[in-house]
Amino acid sequence: MKLHHIAVAALFAAGMVQNAVAQEGERLPWGALKAGNKDGTIPAWEGGLPASASPAGFKKDSGFWADPYAADKPLYSITAKNMEQYADKLSEATKELLKRNHGFRVDVYPSRRPVNYSQFFIENTKLNAAGRCKTIENGEAVTGCFGGTPFPVPKNGHEAMWNLILVNKGASSWTYGQGWYVDASGNKVMTAEVNNRNQNDYFNATLTAEQFYAKGGQYFMNNNTYTAPARITGEGNLQRKYINPVATPDKTWGYTPGQRRVRLSPDAAYDFPVATAAGAMLYDEIYAFSGKLDRFDWKLVGTKEMIIPYNAYKYLAGKAEDVMTRGAPNPDVMRWELHRVTVVEATLKPGARHVVAKRRFYFDEDNPDAVVVDAWDANGKLSRGTFNPCAWAYDKQAVIHGGTFYFDFGTGAYYNSSILGSYKGLFIATDTVDADAFYSPDGLARRTQR
Amino acid sequence: MTIARSYRGKVPHRGFAVKAVCFAAASALAGPAAALKLGSDNPDLEMVLDTTARYNAAWRTGERDLRLVGSPAVDEGNWLFDKNDQVLSRIDLYSEFDLTWRKDVGLRVSAAAWGDTNFPDKSRSDPRFAAAPNYPNNDFTPYIDRHYKGPSGEFLDAFAWGNVRLGSTSMNVKVGRFAWLPGEFLFSNGGSFTYSMAPNDGRKSDLSPGSSAKETALPIGQLAATWQLNNEFSVMGQYTAEFRSSRISEGGTFWSVGDTALEGPPFISNPAVPRVAPFLGDKGDVALGVKWSPAKLDGDSLGLWVRKFDDKTPTWQNQVRIDGAARSGRAVYAKGIELVGLTYNTGAFGLSTGFELNYRRKMPLNVRSGFAFGTGTGLVDDPGMEGPRGNTIHFLASSVVTLNKNALFDSGSIALQFDAMRLQKITSGASLYNGEGGNTACVDELVLRGCSTRHAASIGANFTATWQQLFPSVDLSVPVFLTYGLKGNAAAVGAGITPEGSWLFRPGVRVEWLVGQYKHQFDLSYTARGGKTGELDNGAGAVNGHGGAALFNASGLANFRDRNYLSFTYQTAF
């Protein structure tokens, strides 16, 4: 271990509870502590937002959600000048952005806990916790899990990561967003405008756990077609991910315009850079983590209090020009809150290859999709960072997952995978499709004609 | 000397000029507007109009090798430009309009326009052959002027489509002009079951490096459908409503093999053999396929196809007819080829790999040159005017692998394609076959003589390495393409197999500069070609055509060994 790592680890341990189950108190079905913290800066969970919530300006199935906390004012702001006071509550990437960009700041708002999972989710989470759900294949796959948080009280790093991988983004959605990056000199580039339809049968309430596994355990079915920029309009792809990726590896198909054929795509995984992301996003960073767990050792470090992007309604409604500013996201659209997070550390296995040697994931106790990630290269240098500012779709009882921010500290570029406000937004469970026909190579070929 | 056929054999058609439309469409979008999106107020209706603009320049770097210019039939293409001359200064526009209603029905129209300020008014002959230019007076014909010089244009795609639910099944139907090539090929589809499912614009590939498949797969009027019965089985079909020829580089132009083909030159041999209208194929090609993706195979799919079709490649380009003292020549397109093919696509080992095996009956074979057909009266469907045919077996394998970040580059990819074919038996016109059992000269040195062989195989490979954000918003890549003939000369017309010992090597550099919604792409590449050469006694002797004076022979791509070139491409889309 390099000196730099020891220093970081020591600093980090300061605010850390070293064992996830060491904290006492009543736990909610999904594993979060019900009570607030001693300082009163994190509130108790009091039922979250009701499914009937309708904040001013909310139009159901409009693609966007009105901010139920619009009246909140920031409690305080963190800048490069005062960040040392909060050093143990900020991710390393957040601190790096503050250091590099003097216009950047972290506005910390009152902490709110809006999650309010459905009965289906709660019941299944309890069944998962009661022993139905297990990791297999050295933690690289799970079995028996269905319909809820797989491991409300994770015992190790692999279980904690499955809570992130199987996060509740709703059973199905249409996402219409634009991918943008900002390069080191502040140029803004739109790389893709995508029509995305996603189905997550793991959360499909019309299925039983047995049916889900009998159908092959496809927890992620995804169809993208591109409507801009002009150079890629009409291209499309299709992904399927399986709950046992060891037995059934992830699959991607691509559509070739002109020839109008669909063919399996070669593996693009691990640290392969996503072409449209200026190198700032790697394939295994999609949704903060995607793909197989096999190249890293995963350690559940514990829980701690962190200031993370949260209840990001304002950001999720923002257009690219509102969000993407030079060097870092526009602080005016970002909302940060103090929350308890689970900390998982990934260390590259000896002999395995990856541009990232160490990663640290911090995800929220109520909603694992509210995640931030720090990553270090082989020299122990902070090289990458990830934020996933999400919000709660009160009417759908699911997470609003928009674009994720990826920071490449080597090139100084950062990328956002899907800015909803620049296109039509997100539609959760507004229709059903025949998944077998829709998420198939022929289904992909039916949806693009170029 | 021997002229190997362009192994990408392809041909022209008679499109209708729409330059006004194209340029109007393009200019309407010029300026800072992004892709035009209309109907956004009505969520059911989506309309998109995109235009790709491309500029190509190229310069000949190779010194003319006069040994390759052995007859008046092969001089003009080589003489049109000298070493260090600019051979191309061409602008291409490509506009696409898509209208979609509720994601289930729609229309698509695309159009292309072009112009080349560098293309000369006159063809140029070797002084030794100045008396017999294939273009009388060395004046390029209007067809050449339109397609090479421009400015001109044409419509490409023009079709309507719909997705229909039939009970629990789904069907996609398309009707109109479009191309559909659902094979497992990456570079050439000569060995694919999709051979001639759509004509191919090889000329545009030559003249406009950087053209996408949307521009080089020529649309053909057809009705086609894919009917997905369930998640394991789909049935597919095609019926063509017109005939259109593939396109190849025309005689006397820089990329042409010889001076005589296909739509431009009025003479096969000046003045003895004027070119007359081609004997074209017909409408009514039929293709039926079934695709099986068993759940057990986890994404892999198997296909079985049966087709009956007419060749879109100008099969036998120079059929000469004797009519008393008169001679005439024309291209004859083979009709009624029958094919049964298997396909397999797999993601095993993280690669994207495809295999194809197909058996073709009555496949046209390479015809020997330098003979005349019998007498004929009028250009009628005269089987005697056909070249040889036979039963052939074709195999191709293609694979793509991605390369993760490493010490040398950020990301990379390798694409490979292997093609092989076998001539099972000659079924007609054996005496006209340019190979063993046909042309009597084909007894030794087959490859060098340009004779077809029973077996043939070749490989093509593309390697690309990419460095992202070399400068802010600037990515650099190095694409390198290589094709190499492993064995033999393919017996079938248009087989897509590089002749043995022939090679094409094209290293390049690509810079992509991204600004807002636009990408400015700059390519610089160098193309070198070569193949087997040697001295052979040709023709004049008494034994099997041997025993004459030794002459220089060049086989396959060796005919282009002196025409290496440097090309520059800029393209953007808006």
Side-chain angles (χ1 to χ4, degrees):
Chain A
M1 192 187 225
K2 293 200 162 40
L3 278 177
H4 174 84
H5 276 167
I6 295 170
V8 169
L11 185 74
F12 180 74
M16 173 70 65
V17 179
Q18 282 296 348
N19 182 339
V21 291
Q23 266 185 283
E24 295 305 318
E26 186 191 343
R27 290 193 175 271
L28 296 162
W30 52 93
L33 285 168
K34 187 174 182 187
N37 66 353
K38 289 196 183 65
D39 312 346
T41 47
I42 295 175
W45 183 80
E46 287 164 343
L49 289 171
S52 59
S54 184
F58 173 58
K59 290 217 317 257
K60 196 171 168 70
D61 295 337
S62 64
F64 299 95
W65 280 263
D67 184 353
Y69 309 122
D72 287 354
K73 294 281 179 286
L75 304 169
Y76 54 96
S77 281
I78 305 171
T79 63
K81 287 198 178 75
N82 63 352
M83 66 184 240
E84 284 313 309
Q85 294 174 48
Y86 307 96
D88 66 324
K89 293 192 166 53
L90 296 171
S91 78
E92 296 305 308
T94 311
K95 286 188 268 192
E96 186 70 22
L97 290 172
L98 285 164
K99 272 185 232 163
R100 288 181 177 218
N101 302 284
H102 291 292
F104 185 58
R105 64 180 197 280
V106 170
D107 289 346
V108 183
Y109 286 77
S111 300
R112 307 285 193 175
R113 296 178 68 181
V115 307
N116 171 18
Y117 290 107
S118 66
Q119 263 329 100
F120 169 82
F121 181 95
I122 302 282
E123 282 164 20
N124 275 293
T125 298
K126 287 176 178 169
L127 288 169
N128 290 341
R132 175 176 74 173
C133 174
K134 296 183 191 67
T135 58
I136 52 174
E137 305 281 4
N138 303 317
E140 291 168 31
V142 295
T143 185
C145 323
F146 177 72
T149 300
F151 302 102
V153 184
K155 295 188 293 297
N156 55 50
H158 283 107
E159 290 186 354
M161 286 307 288
W162 279 103
N163 289 349
L164 173 63
I165 293 166
L166 294 172
V167 75
N168 178 20
K169 294 199 278 280
S172 73
S173 61
W174 283 99
T175 308
Y176 299 90
Q178 292 184 346
W180 283 79
Y181 76 74
V182 180
D183 72 17
S185 58
N187 298 318
K188 296 176 195 179
V189 173
M190 192 266 268
T191 61
E193 180 182 89
V194 63
N195 281 11
N196 165 278
R197 192 166 195 298
N198 179 276
Q199 182 152 328
N200 186 344
D201 271 352
Y202 182 89
F203 288 109
N204 185 340
T206 67
L207 295 178
T208 63
E210 292 70 28
Q211 287 169 325
F212 169 70
Y213 283 90
K215 285 172 64 112
Q218 294 184 57
Y219 74 87
F220 180 91
M221 291 180 273
N222 199 52
N223 181 98
N224 292 312
T225 53
Y226 298 94
T227 49
R231 63 183 175 271
I232 63 164
T233 304
E235 292 181 14
N237 53 58
L238 165 75
Q239 287 92 33
R240 287 192 201 156
K241 290 177 183 285
Y242 300 83
I243 204 147
N244 183 345
V246 179
T248 317
D250 296 351
K251 285 279 182 300
T252 301
W253 290 262
Y255 174 85
T256 311
Q259 293 161 352
R260 302 189 167 91
R261 70 170 181 204
V262 175
R263 186 175 149 123
L264 279 161
S265 301
D267 262 5
Y270 302 110
D271 54 352
F272 194 79
V274 178
T276 53
M281 177 171 79
L282 309 176
Y283 269 90
D284 71 356
E285 292 175 333
I286 297 173
Y287 298 114
F289 185 80
S290 285
K292 284 173 77 177
L293 295 163
D294 59 338
R295 289 197 184 174
F296 289 83
D297 289 315
W298 301 88
K299 183 175 166 220
L300 178 62
V301 180
T303 57
K304 67 177 296 208
E305 293 180 4
M306 290 269 287
I307 294 165
I308 58 174
Y310 213 90
N311 289 314
Y313 295 95
K314 191 173 181 185
Y315 149 73
L316 288 162
K319 293 180 159 49
E321 54 267 32
D322 309 326
V323 171
M324 304 296 279
T325 49
R326 184 173 179 162
N330 181 358
D332 297 343
V333 303
M334 298 289 286
R335 177 184 173 117
W336 299 73
E337 298 180 11
L338 182 71
H339 284 267
R340 280 183 295 246
V341 297
T342 301
V343 184
V344 175
E345 204 166 85
T347 308
L348 190 61
K349 286 179 177 169
R353 53 132 314 163
H354 201 290
V355 293
V356 169
K358 186 185 272 295
R359 286 171 157 159
R360 205 175 284 135
F361 292 78
Y362 315 87
F363 37 89
D364 178 53
E365 61 178 344
D366 287 330
N367 168 18
D369 208 31
V371 53
V372 299
V373 189
D374 290 329
W376 291 266
D377 64 17
N379 301 319
K381 192 163 176 269
L382 183 76
S383 57
R384 315 176 69 79
T386 306
F387 301 157
N388 189 39
C390 49
W392 185 251
Y394 26 85
D395 60 323
K396 303 286 183 182
Q397 295 183 289
V399 176
I400 307 165
H401 182 106
T404 306
F405 287 102
Y406 299 89
F407 304 93
D408 181 336
F409 296 122
T411 62
Y414 78 99
Y415 170 70
N416 187 298
S417 55
S418 184
I419 295 191
L420 305 180
S422 284
Y423 197 13
K424 298 186 217 169
L426 171 66
F427 300 82
I428 297 174
T430 50
D431 61 359
T432 55
V433 298
D434 175 349
D436 283 341
F438 191 97
Y439 297 100
S440 66
D442 289 335
L444 169 60
R446 276 198 295 279
R447 274 179 296 286
T448 173
Q449 310 296 332
R450 279 201 169 179
Chain B
M1 68 163 286
T2 309
I3 298 293
R5 272 175 182 66
S6 162
Y7 60 90
R8 255 198 335 217
K10 308 300 160 182
V11 187
H13 88 305
R14 292 162 188 69
F16 29 105
V18 289
K19 69 181 170 209
V21 175
C22 288
F23 281 121
S27 55
L29 289 181
L36 190 64
K37 288 206 176 160
L38 311 156
S40 53
D41 298 342
N42 180 341
D44 289 337
L45 181 67
E46 292 170 62
M47 289 191 275
V48 183
L49 176 59
D50 294 321
T51 298
T52 302
R54 184 167 49 245
Y55 171 74
N56 281 293
W59 296 266
R60 178 173 182 166
T61 59
E63 183 73 65
R64 185 171 306 115
D65 179 348
L66 285 175
R67 294 175 306 168
L68 294 172
V69 189
S71 86
V74 293
D75 60 323
E76 288 161 75
N78 204 327
W79 274 84
L80 190 60
F81 298 107
D82 296 335
K83 183 182 179 177
N84 299 332
D85 280 357
Q86 182 163 2
V87 302
L88 203 61
S89 176
R90 178 177 159 121
I91 291 175
D92 283 281
L93 294 174
Y94 175 65
S95 289
E96 311 168 76
F97 173 74
D98 291 84
L99 179 151
T100 308
W101 175 256
R102 293 187 175 174
K103 298 184 178 172
D104 270 334
V105 284
L107 290 169
R108 173 173 166 80
V109 176
S110 66
W114 58 85
D116 180 348
T117 54
N118 182 73
F119 193 78
D121 292 331
K122 283 183 164 291
S123 79
R124 189 168 164 226
S125 296
D126 184 314
R128 292 172 293 169
F129 307 124
N134 294 73
Y135 292 91
N137 211 14
N138 287 106
D139 286 326
F140 279 121
T141 48
Y143 181 91
I144 299 293
D145 285 343
R146 182 190 157 203
H147 286 276
Y148 281 80
K149 190 186 290 181
S152 187
E154 64 186 349
F155 280 105
L156 292 170
D157 281 353
F159 67 93
W161 59 272
N163 291 326
V164 266
R165 300 278 298 153
L166 299 166
S168 66
T169 69
S170 316
M171 187 187 271
N172 174 268
V173 181
K174 293 186 180 78
V175 60
R177 267 191 171 177
F178 60 94
W180 181 37
L181 298 168
E184 295 296 335
F185 61 97
L186 296 174
F187 306 128
S188 153
N189 76 330
S192 166
F193 82 87
T194 59
Y195 175 73
S196 279
M197 255 179 106
N200 176 54
D201 196 341
R203 194 170 64 209
K204 190 157 192 181
S205 304
D206 288 342
L207 292 174
S208 192
S211 309
S212 69
K214 287 185 288 190
E215 295 167 84
T216 58
L218 282 172
I220 185 166
Q222 62 180 297
L223 169 69
T226 301
W227 187 17
Q228 191 179 350
L229 302 177
N230 55 39
N231 56 346
E232 290 202 350
F233 283 98
S234 290
V235 181
M236 293 156 285
Q238 174 197 45
Y239 177 84
T240 60
E242 65 173 342
F243 179 84
R244 293 182 83 191
S245 172
S246 289
R247 295 171 179 174
I248 56 173
S249 277
E250 290 286 320
T253 65
F254 180 72
W255 276 273
S256 65
V257 183
D259 295 347
T260 62
L262 177 75
E263 298 279 336
F267 287 96
I268 286 176
S269 174
N270 185 357
V273 189
R275 180 176 282 279
V276 295
F279 180 62
L280 297 170
D282 293 325
K283 64 179 186 183
D285 290 0
V286 176
L288 280 173
V290 60
K291 193 168 84 174
W292 181 40
S293 314
K296 273 201 168 44
L297 286 183
D298 175 36
D300 293 5
S301 61
L302 288 144
L304 170 66
W305 286 84
V306 180
R307 291 178 57 211
K308 185 162 194 234
F309 62 95
D310 293 355
D311 199 0
K312 307 296 177 293
T313 304
T315 317
W316 301 296
Q317 289 172 26
N318 303 322
Q319 302 293 63
V320 177
R321 189 174 65 101
I322 303 169
D323 196 358
R327 304 279 182 277
S328 63
R330 64 173 180 174
V332 173
Y333 291 74
K335 295 184 184 183
I337 304 162
E338 294 162 5
L339 176 151
V340 58
L342 291 167
T343 68
Y344 178 51
N345 178 217
T346 176
F349 312 111
L351 312 179
S352 166
T353 308
F355 297 96
E356 290 206 39
L357 182 65
N358 53 78
Y359 176 72
R360 305 178 192 174
R361 286 188 57 220
K362 298 200 285 181
M363 185 67 188
L365 307 178
N366 287 326
V367 69
R368 62 196 180 93
S369 57
F371 65 91
F373 287 83
T375 56
T377 46
L379 293 173
V380 291
D381 182 2
D382 172 6
M385 291 292 285
E386 284 219 333
R389 292 186 183 231
N391 299 340
T392 56
I393 295 173
H394 301 255
F395 172 80
L396 79 81
S398 68
S399 194
V400 182
V401 56
T402 53
L403 305 169
N404 276 29
K405 190 177 170 87
N406 57 53
L408 294 177
F409 47 81
D410 289 347
S411 63
S413 66
I414 298 174
L416 292 165
Q417 179 169 327
F418 171 80
D419 285 275
M421 73 156 290
R422 174 186 160 84
L423 170 63
Q424 283 293 95
K425 76 171 192 203
I426 303 173
T427 53
S428 66
S431 64
L432 303 176
Y433 173 56
N434 191 37
E436 295 162 290
N439 186 345
T440 51
C442 292
V443 289
D444 64 347
E445 299 282 1
L446 297 178
V447 171
L448 187 53
R449 288 186 193 280
C451 298
S452 297
T453 54
R454 184 164 288 276
H455 297 95
S458 71
I459 192 153
N462 188 90
F463 165 77
T464 303
T466 302
W467 296 265
Q468 292 188 293
Q469 299 290 301
L470 195 68
F471 305 106
S473 292
V474 174
D475 296 341
L476 174 75
S477 2
V478 174
V480 181
F481 179 72
L482 175 72
T483 179
Y484 181 72
L486 299 168
K487 184 178 170 55
N489 282 333
V493 169
I497 295 176
T498 307
E500 182 177 330
S502 280
W503 53 271
L504 181 152
F505 178 59
R506 179 179 291 146
V509 176
R510 170 173 296 174
V511 173
E512 292 165 283
W513 174 38
L514 290 103
V515 185
Q517 306 213 8
Y518 307 104
K519 180 169 84 172
H520 303 284
Q521 183 172 302
F522 304 87
D523 282 275
L524 190 65
S525 69
Y526 176 70
T527 304
R529 291 166 289 183
K532 284 184 189 266
T533 59
E535 302 274 321
L536 285 173
D537 54 349
N538 285 26
V543 185
N544 286 344
H546 290 258
L551 291 172
F552 178 79
N553 264 251
S555 120
L557 294 174
N559 287 291
F560 292 103
R561 65 203 298 267
D562 63 346
R563 273 186 263 178
N564 293 352
Y565 58 94
L566 185 71
S567 58
F568 166 81
T569 305
Y570 162 73
Q571 67 181 335
T572 190
F574 47 87

